[in-house]
Amino acid sequence: MTPNKMMYIDPHIHMTSRTTDDYARMSAAGIVAIIEPSFWLGQPRTEAGSFKDYFSSLLGWERFRASQFGIKHYCTIGLNSKEANNEALAEQVMELLPLFVCKEGVVGVGEIGYDDQTTAEDKYYRLQLDLAKEVGLPVQIHTPHRDKKAGTIRSMEVAMEHGVQPHMVIVDHNNEETVKDTLDRGFWAAFTIYPNSKMGNERMAEIVKQYGTERIIVNSAADWGVSDPLSVPKTASLMLDRGISAEDVRKVCYQNALDAFGQSGQMSESDWLQAVQVDQRDKFSDNSILRGGQEPFVGERKATGQIEDNIIR
Ligand SMILES: [Zn+2]
């Protein structure tokens, strides 16, 4: 990777499934802030309490873990499309959401939308659009992997039907097939860069060359599957190598995510522009990220520089 001093935001990453090594490498690569959407955990939950604890951990322990590597952690709260299909459970989760969406550091309702485009998915997507509108938060939309184009268009049409303005909606997992429809309608178009996949970083560079940088956002969506928490900085390096200007790279790998989710009023550059103090002696509910006599890092993580060496050793 070409070393550079850019700052990055990864606005879609599931750190609950990742390790401290990932945090250390992300910090060293210049990622200053991340957004963790609520999502499906790989197997269905059976109790509403599991959702409650999961939302609490996104606001608590996970935010603390990120802070121990000098990274600002935000999240979006919502009922994912897959689990919307368990209607008895979905009803209970809907009752929990209002208790969480207005908490500090929640920058949107997400990730919500369609998976198989079932009736239940449609019902809970619509209810959550109304919730987002009521509390004035942006919406982070997961678009389906099957029948993507139709599902993406449907997601946008339903959002507009519910009076949610396009500038308040980040449509995720776009590709060449959907980007034009998303941008033409005035929505934010986010792209997930998975390793060894169709939507790789070479094709991302081509999309930026073709469509420009307005309302285009790059993310990793790294989770418990084969994915790469460094997708954003790696794509940025590749774009620079392909002759895309540093200013344009900054827009799609930093500024646009900030502008989109900053509409929540919960995320601002000042959160990380001042040098961030990292003290790994800190604890969260009596728990530390350190093990067996490890040397804590105590020092500054400078916004545009790399975190001190010893934090990642
Ligand atoms: Zn996701």
Side-chain angles (χ1 to χ4, degrees):
M1 194 167 72
T2 319
N4 57 60
K5 286 200 169 167
M6 263 194 200
M7 290 188 291
Y8 301 109
I9 295 173
D10 189 342
H12 188 146
I13 185 162
H14 301 289
M15 291 311 297
T16 300
S17 317
R18 311 296 310 191
T19 65
T20 50
D21 288 8
D22 293 328
Y23 270 127
R25 291 188 302 140
M26 288 158 64
S27 182
I31 295 177
V32 292
I34 54 176
I35 298 170
E36 177 153 6
S38 309
F39 83 138
W40 183 58
L41 296 178
Q43 71 177 52
R45 281 163 279 210
T46 57
E47 308 277 347
S50 304
F51 279 89
K52 188 178 173 191
D53 292 340
Y54 172 63
F55 297 148
S56 298
S57 76
L58 295 184
L59 294 160
W61 176 243
E62 207 50 53
R63 184 183 296 174
F64 170 76
R65 269 198 342 137
S67 76
Q68 295 296 280
F69 296 88
I71 295 175
K72 278 297 286 186
H73 181 283
Y74 306 88
C75 65
T76 61
I77 295 285
L79 169 65
N80 65 85
S81 49
K82 262 185 194 290
E83 288 176 287
N85 289 302
N86 178 347
E87 286 202 59
L89 187 57
E91 282 302 317
Q92 297 174 53
V93 176
M94 285 308 300
E95 281 177 30
L96 284 175
L97 295 182
L99 309 175
F100 284 94
V101 290
C102 292
K103 291 201 188 283
E104 193 192 321
V106 178
V107 296
V109 173
E111 54 187 293
I112 62 171
Y114 298 110
D115 184 47
D116 270 335
Q117 304 193 48
T118 63
T119 310
E121 288 170 21
D122 186 59
K123 175 182 172 187
Y124 294 102
Y125 174 48
R126 287 171 185 272
L127 286 170
Q128 292 183 93
L129 287 170
D130 289 341
L131 174 65
K133 195 179 155 195
E134 193 186 315
V135 296
L137 281 178
V139 177
Q140 188 169 27
I141 289 184
H142 164 93
T143 53
H145 301 292
R146 294 169 296 277
D147 206 4
K148 177 173 279 291
K149 192 177 163 87
T152 303
I153 291 171
R154 182 177 177 193
S155 307
M156 293 189 284
E157 283 175 352
V158 170
M160 292 179 76
E161 208 182 299
H162 281 255
V164 177
Q165 296 302 306
H167 71 88
M168 290 299 275
V169 182
I170 298 91
V171 179
D172 220 323
H173 316 311
N174 273 275
N175 61 22
E176 288 94 338
E177 223 194 333
T178 58
V179 55
K180 192 172 183 311
D181 286 305
T182 305
L183 292 175
D184 283 353
R185 285 171 169 77
F187 288 74
W188 298 91
F191 292 81
T192 296
I193 314 299
Y194 290 120
N196 326 312
S197 79
K198 214 167 63 166
M199 194 57 241
N201 49 13
E202 290 279 357
R203 288 172 75 172
M204 190 63 232
E206 286 308 311
I207 284 174
V208 169
K209 281 186 181 172
Q210 191 177 341
Y211 293 94
T213 58
E214 202 175 330
R215 280 181 283 113
I216 286 185
I217 297 173
V218 177
N219 64 52
S220 74
D223 59 11
W224 31 255
V226 179
S227 45
D228 184 357
L230 298 183
S231 276
V232 175
K234 283 181 182 172
T235 304
S237 291
L238 185 103
M239 286 181 185
L240 293 170
D241 289 348
R242 293 290 178 273
I244 295 170
S245 74
E247 193 186 324
D248 284 349
V249 172
R250 186 176 182 276
K251 278 199 85 174
V252 300
C253 295
Y254 177 81
Q255 191 65 47
N256 288 349
L258 175 58
D259 291 347
F261 289 98
Q263 298 181 100
S264 64
Q266 289 292 323
M267 181 181 186
S268 96
E269 225 177 11
S270 60
D271 295 349
W272 58 84
L273 273 194
Q274 294 101 344
V276 177
Q277 246 351 87
V278 175
D279 187 344
Q280 293 185 339
R281 294 169 304 188
D282 286 348
K283 288 184 175 172
F284 178 85
S285 297
D286 250 2
N287 291 311
S288 162
I289 56 154
L290 299 178
R291 294 289 177 270
Q294 286 165 357
E295 197 56 33
F297 171 81
V298 181
E300 247 178 32
R301 181 228 198 282
K302 296 176 191 72
T304 52
Q306 310 300 344
I307 198 153
E308 317 304 312
D309 270 355
N310 58 344
I311 204 168
I312 56 168
R313 248 185 252 137

PDB file of all heavy atoms in Angstrom, residues 171-188:
ATOM      1  N   VAL A 171     -27.586   4.635   0.359  1.00  0.00           N
ATOM      2  CA  VAL A 171     -27.930   3.346  -0.250  1.00  0.00           C
ATOM      3  C   VAL A 171     -26.646   2.538  -0.377  1.00  0.00           C
ATOM      4  O   VAL A 171     -25.718   2.949  -1.078  1.00  0.00           O
ATOM      5  CB  VAL A 171     -28.568   3.540  -1.638  1.00  0.00           C
ATOM      6  CG1 VAL A 171     -28.892   2.192  -2.271  1.00  0.00           C
ATOM      7  CG2 VAL A 171     -29.821   4.399  -1.532  1.00  0.00           C
ATOM      8  N   ASP A 172     -26.597   1.390   0.289  1.00  0.00           N
ATOM      9  CA  ASP A 172     -25.339   0.643   0.340  1.00  0.00           C
ATOM     10  C   ASP A 172     -25.270  -0.508  -0.655  1.00  0.00           C
ATOM     11  O   ASP A 172     -26.285  -0.912  -1.213  1.00  0.00           O
ATOM     12  CB  ASP A 172     -25.113   0.112   1.758  1.00  0.00           C
ATOM     13  CG  ASP A 172     -23.652   0.242   2.115  1.00  0.00           C
ATOM     14  OD1 ASP A 172     -22.803   0.035   1.237  1.00  0.00           O
ATOM     15  OD2 ASP A 172     -23.376   0.589   3.274  1.00  0.00           O
ATOM     16  N   HIS A 173     -24.062  -1.034  -0.816  1.00  0.00           N
ATOM     17  CA  HIS A 173     -23.781  -2.178  -1.694  1.00  0.00           C
ATOM     18  C   HIS A 173     -24.219  -1.901  -3.139  1.00  0.00           C
ATOM     19  O   HIS A 173     -24.816  -2.753  -3.793  1.00  0.00           O
ATOM     20  CB  HIS A 173     -24.455  -3.466  -1.182  1.00  0.00           C
ATOM     21  CG  HIS A 173     -24.311  -3.681   0.298  1.00  0.00           C
ATOM     22  ND1 HIS A 173     -23.111  -3.588   0.955  1.00  0.00           N
ATOM     23  CD2 HIS A 173     -25.217  -4.004   1.253  1.00  0.00           C
ATOM     24  CE1 HIS A 173     -23.298  -3.828   2.246  1.00  0.00           C
ATOM     25  NE2 HIS A 173     -24.566  -4.082   2.459  1.00  0.00           N
ATOM     26  N   ASN A 174     -23.932  -0.699  -3.624  1.00  0.00           N
ATOM     27  CA  ASN A 174     -24.189  -0.401  -5.035  1.00  0.00           C
ATOM     28  C   ASN A 174     -23.191  -1.141  -5.916  1.00  0.00           C
ATOM     29  O   ASN A 174     -22.154  -1.617  -5.442  1.00  0.00           O
ATOM     30  CB  ASN A 174     -24.032   1.103  -5.293  1.00  0.00           C
ATOM     31  CG  ASN A 174     -25.309   1.889  -5.039  1.00  0.00           C
ATOM     32  OD1 ASN A 174     -26.162   1.994  -5.910  1.00  0.00           O
ATOM     33  ND2 ASN A 174     -25.446   2.415  -3.832  1.00  0.00           N
ATOM     34  N   ASN A 175     -23.486  -1.208  -7.199  1.00  0.00           N
ATOM     35  CA  ASN A 175     -22.517  -1.673  -8.196  1.00  0.00           C
ATOM     36  C   ASN A 175     -22.783  -0.927  -9.506  1.00  0.00           C
ATOM     37  O   ASN A 175     -23.582   0.006  -9.536  1.00  0.00           O
ATOM     38  CB  ASN A 175     -22.577  -3.209  -8.365  1.00  0.00           C
ATOM     39  CG  ASN A 175     -23.945  -3.675  -8.840  1.00  0.00           C
ATOM     40  OD1 ASN A 175     -24.715  -2.917  -9.431  1.00  0.00           O
ATOM     41  ND2 ASN A 175     -24.253  -4.934  -8.586  1.00  0.00           N
ATOM     42  N   GLU A 176     -22.120  -1.357 -10.562  1.00  0.00           N
ATOM     43  CA  GLU A 176     -22.251  -0.646 -11.844  1.00  0.00           C
ATOM     44  C   GLU A 176     -23.692  -0.641 -12.342  1.00  0.00           C
ATOM     45  O   GLU A 176     -24.109   0.256 -13.063  1.00  0.00           O
ATOM     46  CB  GLU A 176     -21.375  -1.300 -12.928  1.00  0.00           C
ATOM     47  CG  GLU A 176     -19.883  -1.059 -12.755  1.00  0.00           C
ATOM     48  CD  GLU A 176     -19.200  -2.178 -12.002  1.00  0.00           C
ATOM     49  OE1 GLU A 176     -19.891  -2.920 -11.251  1.00  0.00           O
ATOM     50  OE2 GLU A 176     -17.971  -2.308 -12.146  1.00  0.00           O
ATOM     51  N   GLU A 177     -24.439  -1.660 -11.925  1.00  0.00           N
ATOM     52  CA  GLU A 177     -25.813  -1.809 -12.382  1.00  0.00           C
ATOM     53  C   GLU A 177     -26.764  -0.810 -11.711  1.00  0.00           C
ATOM     54  O   GLU A 177     -27.825  -0.494 -12.243  1.00  0.00           O
ATOM     55  CB  GLU A 177     -26.236  -3.229 -11.971  1.00  0.00           C
ATOM     56  CG  GLU A 177     -27.002  -4.004 -12.971  1.00  0.00           C
ATOM     57  CD  GLU A 177     -27.637  -5.229 -12.310  1.00  0.00           C
ATOM     58  OE1 GLU A 177     -27.115  -5.747 -11.287  1.00  0.00           O
ATOM     59  OE2 GLU A 177     -28.678  -5.638 -12.814  1.00  0.00           O
ATOM     60  N   THR A 178     -26.412  -0.362 -10.516  1.00  0.00           N
ATOM     61  CA  THR A 178     -27.357   0.444  -9.728  1.00  0.00           C
ATOM     62  C   THR A 178     -26.912   1.893  -9.542  1.00  0.00           C
ATOM     63  O   THR A 178     -27.727   2.737  -9.164  1.00  0.00           O
ATOM     64  CB  THR A 178     -27.526  -0.159  -8.310  1.00  0.00           C
ATOM     65  OG1 THR A 178     -26.238  -0.214  -7.693  1.00  0.00           O
ATOM     66  CG2 THR A 178     -28.126  -1.544  -8.365  1.00  0.00           C
ATOM     67  N   VAL A 179     -25.628   2.169  -9.792  1.00  0.00           N
ATOM     68  CA  VAL A 179     -25.089   3.485  -9.408  1.00  0.00           C
ATOM     69  C   VAL A 179     -25.834   4.645 -10.080  1.00  0.00           C
ATOM     70  O   VAL A 179     -26.138   5.657  -9.434  1.00  0.00           O
ATOM     71  CB  VAL A 179     -23.559   3.564  -9.642  1.00  0.00           C
ATOM     72  CG1 VAL A 179     -23.166   3.232 -11.070  1.00  0.00           C
ATOM     73  CG2 VAL A 179     -23.018   4.925  -9.247  1.00  0.00           C
ATOM     74  N   LYS A 180     -26.175   4.480 -11.341  1.00  0.00           N
ATOM     75  CA  LYS A 180     -26.798   5.600 -12.047  1.00  0.00           C
ATOM     76  C   LYS A 180     -28.183   5.906 -11.467  1.00  0.00           C
ATOM     77  O   LYS A 180     -28.524   7.061 -11.226  1.00  0.00           O
ATOM     78  CB  LYS A 180     -26.885   5.299 -13.552  1.00  0.00           C
ATOM     79  CG  LYS A 180     -27.244   6.537 -14.357  1.00  0.00           C
ATOM     80  CD  LYS A 180     -27.154   6.299 -15.845  1.00  0.00           C
ATOM     81  CE  LYS A 180     -27.456   7.577 -16.633  1.00  0.00           C
ATOM     82  NZ  LYS A 180     -28.668   8.282 -16.229  1.00  0.00           N
ATOM     83  N   ASP A 181     -28.966   4.854 -11.236  1.00  0.00           N
ATOM     84  CA  ASP A 181     -30.300   5.043 -10.650  1.00  0.00           C
ATOM     85  C   ASP A 181     -30.212   5.727  -9.293  1.00  0.00           C
ATOM     86  O   ASP A 181     -31.035   6.576  -8.952  1.00  0.00           O
ATOM     87  CB  ASP A 181     -31.002   3.685 -10.481  1.00  0.00           C
ATOM     88  CG  ASP A 181     -31.476   3.129 -11.815  1.00  0.00           C
ATOM     89  OD1 ASP A 181     -32.213   3.842 -12.515  1.00  0.00           O
ATOM     90  OD2 ASP A 181     -31.099   1.990 -12.163  1.00  0.00           O
ATOM     91  N   THR A 182     -29.230   5.309  -8.490  1.00  0.00           N
ATOM     92  CA  THR A 182     -29.093   5.875  -7.144  1.00  0.00           C
ATOM     93  C   THR A 182     -28.724   7.351  -7.218  1.00  0.00           C
ATOM     94  O   THR A 182     -29.356   8.194  -6.556  1.00  0.00           O
ATOM     95  CB  THR A 182     -28.029   5.079  -6.358  1.00  0.00           C
ATOM     96  OG1 THR A 182     -28.391   3.689  -6.365  1.00  0.00           O
ATOM     97  CG2 THR A 182     -27.933   5.557  -4.916  1.00  0.00           C
ATOM     98  N   LEU A 183     -27.735   7.677  -8.020  1.00  0.00           N
ATOM     99  CA  LEU A 183     -27.280   9.075  -8.113  1.00  0.00           C
ATOM    100  C   LEU A 183     -28.332   9.966  -8.773  1.00  0.00           C
ATOM    101  O   LEU A 183     -28.576  11.081  -8.308  1.00  0.00           O
ATOM    102  CB  LEU A 183     -25.960   9.155  -8.884  1.00  0.00           C
ATOM    103  CG  LEU A 183     -24.739   8.533  -8.191  1.00  0.00           C
ATOM    104  CD1 LEU A 183     -23.529   8.567  -9.113  1.00  0.00           C
ATOM    105  CD2 LEU A 183     -24.420   9.233  -6.861  1.00  0.00           C
ATOM    106  N   ASP A 184     -28.972   9.463  -9.817  1.00  0.00           N
ATOM    107  CA  ASP A 184     -29.988  10.261 -10.524  1.00  0.00           C
ATOM    108  C   ASP A 184     -31.135  10.657  -9.603  1.00  0.00           C
ATOM    109  O   ASP A 184     -31.739  11.710  -9.765  1.00  0.00           O
ATOM    110  CB  ASP A 184     -30.574   9.475 -11.714  1.00  0.00           C
ATOM    111  CG  ASP A 184     -29.622   9.457 -12.899  1.00  0.00           C
ATOM    112  OD1 ASP A 184     -28.579  10.154 -12.853  1.00  0.00           O
ATOM    113  OD2 ASP A 184     -29.910   8.729 -13.877  1.00  0.00           O
ATOM    114  N   ARG A 185     -31.435   9.797  -8.640  1.00  0.00           N
ATOM    115  CA  ARG A 185     -32.540  10.101  -7.721  1.00  0.00           C
ATOM    116  C   ARG A 185     -32.104  10.974  -6.551  1.00  0.00           C
ATOM    117  O   ARG A 185     -32.913  11.311  -5.685  1.00  0.00           O
ATOM    118  CB  ARG A 185     -33.143   8.794  -7.184  1.00  0.00           C
ATOM    119  CG  ARG A 185     -33.998   8.067  -8.208  1.00  0.00           C
ATOM    120  CD  ARG A 185     -34.372   6.689  -7.666  1.00  0.00           C
ATOM    121  NE  ARG A 185     -35.399   6.042  -8.475  1.00  0.00           N
ATOM    122  CZ  ARG A 185     -35.179   5.464  -9.652  1.00  0.00           C
ATOM    123  NH1 ARG A 185     -33.966   5.456 -10.168  1.00  0.00           N
ATOM    124  NH2 ARG A 185     -36.165   4.878 -10.319  1.00  0.00           N
ATOM    125  N   GLY A 186     -30.811  11.292  -6.478  1.00  0.00           N
ATOM    126  CA  GLY A 186     -30.337  12.198  -5.426  1.00  0.00           C
ATOM    127  C   GLY A 186     -29.940  11.519  -4.122  1.00  0.00           C
ATOM    128  O   GLY A 186     -29.731  12.188  -3.112  1.00  0.00           O
ATOM    129  N   PHE A 187     -29.833  10.175  -4.129  1.00  0.00           N
ATOM    130  CA  PHE A 187     -29.442   9.444  -2.921  1.00  0.00           C
ATOM    131  C   PHE A 187     -27.914   9.341  -2.846  1.00  0.00           C
ATOM    132  O   PHE A 187     -27.225   9.489  -3.856  1.00  0.00           O
ATOM    133  CB  PHE A 187     -30.030   8.021  -2.946  1.00  0.00           C
ATOM    134  CG  PHE A 187     -31.524   7.967  -2.729  1.00  0.00           C
ATOM    135  CD1 PHE A 187     -32.415   8.352  -3.739  1.00  0.00           C
ATOM    136  CD2 PHE A 187     -32.052   7.532  -1.516  1.00  0.00           C
ATOM    137  CE1 PHE A 187     -33.791   8.310  -3.546  1.00  0.00           C
ATOM    138  CE2 PHE A 187     -33.431   7.478  -1.313  1.00  0.00           C
ATOM    139  CZ  PHE A 187     -34.304   7.876  -2.334  1.00  0.00           C
ATOM    140  N   TRP A 188     -27.394   9.070  -1.658  1.00  0.00           N
ATOM    141  CA  TRP A 188     -25.971   8.757  -1.488  1.00  0.00           C
ATOM    142  C   TRP A 188     -25.745   7.330  -1.986  1.00  0.00           C
ATOM    143  O   TRP A 188     -26.520   6.432  -1.630  1.00  0.00           O
ATOM    144  CB  TRP A 188     -25.552   8.828  -0.027  1.00  0.00           C
ATOM    145  CG  TRP A 188     -25.696  10.180   0.599  1.00  0.00           C
ATOM    146  CD1 TRP A 188     -26.790  10.651   1.262  1.00  0.00           C
ATOM    147  CD2 TRP A 188     -24.719  11.232   0.632  1.00  0.00           C
ATOM    148  NE1 TRP A 188     -26.545  11.934   1.709  1.00  0.00           N
ATOM    149  CE2 TRP A 188     -25.283  12.314   1.346  1.00  0.00           C
ATOM    150  CE3 TRP A 188     -23.408  11.361   0.148  1.00  0.00           C
ATOM    151  CZ2 TRP A 188     -24.596  13.504   1.576  1.00  0.00           C
ATOM    152  CZ3 TRP A 188     -22.721  12.546   0.382  1.00  0.00           C
ATOM    153  CH2 TRP A 188     -23.315  13.605   1.079  1.00  0.00           C
TER     154      TRP A 188
END
